[in-house]
Amino acid sequence: MALPGDSVLASRGTKVSARAQSRRPPAPATYPVRTEEDLLTVRHAVRAATVEVGFGLVDQTRVVTAASELARNAYVHGGGGTVTLEYPHEPSGRRGLRLVVKDDGPGIADLDAALTDGFTTGTGLGHGLGGARRLMDEFTVRTGRGEGTVVVATRWTVR
């Protein structure tokens, strides 16, 4: 359910192999984001998770790119945080990978602006948050001044 100020995108997905469908989802795993090295660890963990779920190479790249952007934002703008990987699944066989990225930073002062292409608070190109939103099927942001930020982004497979 979306909260006021949340951004949500509709679901879409890709095919998942029968092998991936037959497995139980792994337990959620949480990774700290405190150093540049942690960013690399998150990338590797997300890549492995996309393979586990059964995403094809294009969707693997989409999810890893989104995770990288979100983790870097938590590190740079939020002073660090965590990335949790969750494995939602539905009775229909649709599986997904959910990224829950949390930080305890100052929050995003203007979420609408931050989701706009070209918006940047630094020297970047301004594609981070909005780009990550476009790469995932579902995307919500909860943020408030002095309350930190939580981004929940999910990519789904289809049968």
Side-chain angles (χ1 to χ4, degrees):
M1 179 170 94
L3 299 174
D6 287 355
S7 299
V8 179
L9 294 184
S11 295
R12 64 178 184 274
T14 58
K15 293 182 180 179
V16 63
S17 70
R19 180 175 169 241
Q21 287 179 16
S22 67
R23 290 192 212 148
R24 289 181 183 251
T30 300
Y31 300 88
V33 178
R34 302 269 179 236
T35 67
E36 290 281 338
E37 246 179 41
D38 291 340
L39 297 174
L40 187 58
T41 299
V42 166
R43 283 181 62 87
H44 288 298
V46 171
R47 174 70 69 189
T50 62
V51 171
E52 176 69 29
V53 170
F55 287 116
L57 185 59
V58 171
D59 282 333
Q60 290 175 29
T61 302
R62 286 180 178 133
V63 176
V64 170
T65 300
S68 295
E69 292 293 339
L70 296 172
R72 180 163 292 285
N73 281 351
Y75 173 64
V76 172
H77 302 294
T82 60
V83 175
T84 300
L85 306 181
E86 299 175 351
Y87 300 86
H89 62 283
E90 297 177 339
S92 67
R94 186 167 83 149
R95 296 179 65 189
L97 181 60
R98 179 170 296 131
L99 312 171
V100 181
V101 183
K102 298 179 182 179
D103 70 55
D104 294 318
I108 302 171
D110 185 345
L111 182 58
D112 290 333
L115 289 166
T116 302
D117 280 342
F119 176 83
T120 182
T121 58
T123 60
L125 297 175
H127 297 300
L129 200 56
R133 179 177 63 174
R134 284 190 302 279
L135 293 170
M136 302 298 282
D137 296 319
E138 297 171 3
F139 193 89
T140 62
V141 179
R142 289 187 297 271
T143 189
R145 286 186 179 259
E147 297 177 15
T149 299
V150 178
V151 177
V152 180
T154 306
R155 183 88 186 168
W156 290 100
T157 63
V158 291
R159 291 169 43 129

